[in-house]
Amino acid sequence: MSNILIAPSVLAADFANLQRDIEMVNNSQADWFHIDVMDGHFVPNISFGMPVIEAINRHATKPLDVHLMIEKPERYLEEFKRIGAANITVHYEACTHLHRTIQQIKDLGCLAGVVLNPATPVSVVEEILPDCGMILLMSVNPGYGGQKFIESTYEKVRKLRKMIDERGLTTLIEIDGGVNQETGQKLVDAGADVLIAGSYVFGNSNPLEAIAGLKNIKRV
Ligand code: DX5
Ligand code: ZN
């Protein structure tokens, strides 16, 4: 697959100029808006909630990829669907009944994904893999933007790529944290399909060019 999907992370946008930054992404080669929801429990940080996402969705012309860094995400799935989520990803580490939660996301008509923290091995998704549209591998510890990329992620991507290909599945591999042009290229070479980028895009003097550079990454 050579069409890599790009999802700029709104967490790194200028919240006082959110509409401007959303229009920038609308006019870019990006594919999705990545939306980080944090609850101050599962991760130490708190980001933004439903009213902000609903407002983003009023202006966004591309699907919302909602990453739930919250405990018991099953409590809010319907609400996230209502306010515009196209994809919903939940953490393996935050779900006691992961299989049920993934089915609930699918029943809502959303693309369902499981997220793994850096210390969680890819082997834990073996049974749930056929039910998932996507697996998101964290390449930083969740909770903050602008952190340093964890190098062991490349090996995890290779292992997961093998698991997916061996089973003949079409599950997407998405990566979150510390993605830039250099790490992005190596991730795609290892088998990644979707790149999330926050500070690399919104902290760039030319965000449109940053997105275009990521979008043009080819698997070698
Ligand atoms: C971290 C979030 C990421 C974050 C990535 O917990 O899940 O989506 O915005 O930011 P960068 O690309 O700056 O590492
Ligand atoms: Zn995220």
Side-chain angles (χ1 to χ4, degrees):
M1 193 190 300
S2 63
N3 183 25
I4 302 304
L5 301 179
I6 307 301
S9 177
V10 174
L11 186 66
D14 178 353
F15 293 153
N17 289 287
L18 203 43
Q19 188 175 351
R20 181 200 64 191
D21 284 1
I22 291 164
E23 300 295 352
M24 183 280 291
V25 176
N26 285 343
N27 294 323
S28 77
Q29 292 183 54
D31 298 275
W32 299 338
F33 284 84
H34 185 73
I35 306 288
D36 287 306
V37 182
M38 305 179 186
D39 66 354
H41 288 275
F42 179 66
V43 290
N45 204 3
I46 296 174
S47 56
F48 44 74
M50 278 75 169
V52 175
I53 299 171
E54 204 170 2
I56 293 171
N57 192 46
R58 276 200 293 275
H59 296 283
T61 58
K62 301 176 182 192
L64 303 190
D65 178 44
V66 177
H67 174 192
L68 299 182
M69 284 163 275
I70 65 177
E71 282 173 9
K72 298 192 173 62
E74 63 277 6
R75 292 173 295 169
Y76 300 110
L77 299 175
E78 265 181 54
E79 181 66 357
F80 282 113
K81 164 70 182 179
R82 188 189 68 76
I83 62 174
N87 311 337
I88 299 179
T89 58
V90 294
H91 272 259
Y92 168 81
E93 302 85 0
C95 297
T96 309
H97 302 288
L98 182 62
H99 182 272
R100 180 184 294 142
T101 304
I102 289 296
Q103 306 312 318
Q104 285 169 346
I105 297 172
K106 286 167 66 175
D107 288 347
L108 290 168
C110 294
L111 185 86
V114 174
V115 193
L116 301 183
N117 277 339
T120 305
V122 292
S123 54
V124 299
V125 294
E126 191 179 346
E127 307 301 331
I128 198 77
L129 203 48
D131 295 294
C132 294
M134 190 154 70
I135 302 291
L136 198 177
L137 299 181
M138 290 306 302
S139 39
V140 297
N141 286 293
Y144 304 93
Q147 300 182 82
K148 193 179 175 306
F149 182 85
I150 297 170
E151 296 285 323
S152 53
T153 309
Y154 299 123
E155 187 51 29
K156 282 179 84 172
V157 176
R158 278 190 285 271
K159 278 188 197 162
L160 182 57
R161 177 85 269 154
K162 193 161 174 277
M163 282 170 72
I164 292 169
D165 290 350
E166 277 174 359
R167 289 161 179 76
L169 298 170
T170 55
T171 322
L172 296 170
I173 302 179
E174 184 176 41
I175 311 293
D176 192 4
V179 171
N180 56 33
Q181 192 68 26
E182 189 196 337
T183 55
Q185 178 70 61
K186 290 192 207 166
L187 287 164
V188 169
D189 291 345
D193 304 298
V194 188
L195 300 176
I196 295 161
S199 47
Y200 180 65
V201 166
F202 291 100
N204 204 293
S205 55
N206 191 336
L208 286 173
E209 226 170 71
I211 292 170
L214 293 173
K215 185 68 187 171
N216 288 328
I217 291 177
K218 301 275 180 282
R219 190 165 291 163
V220 289

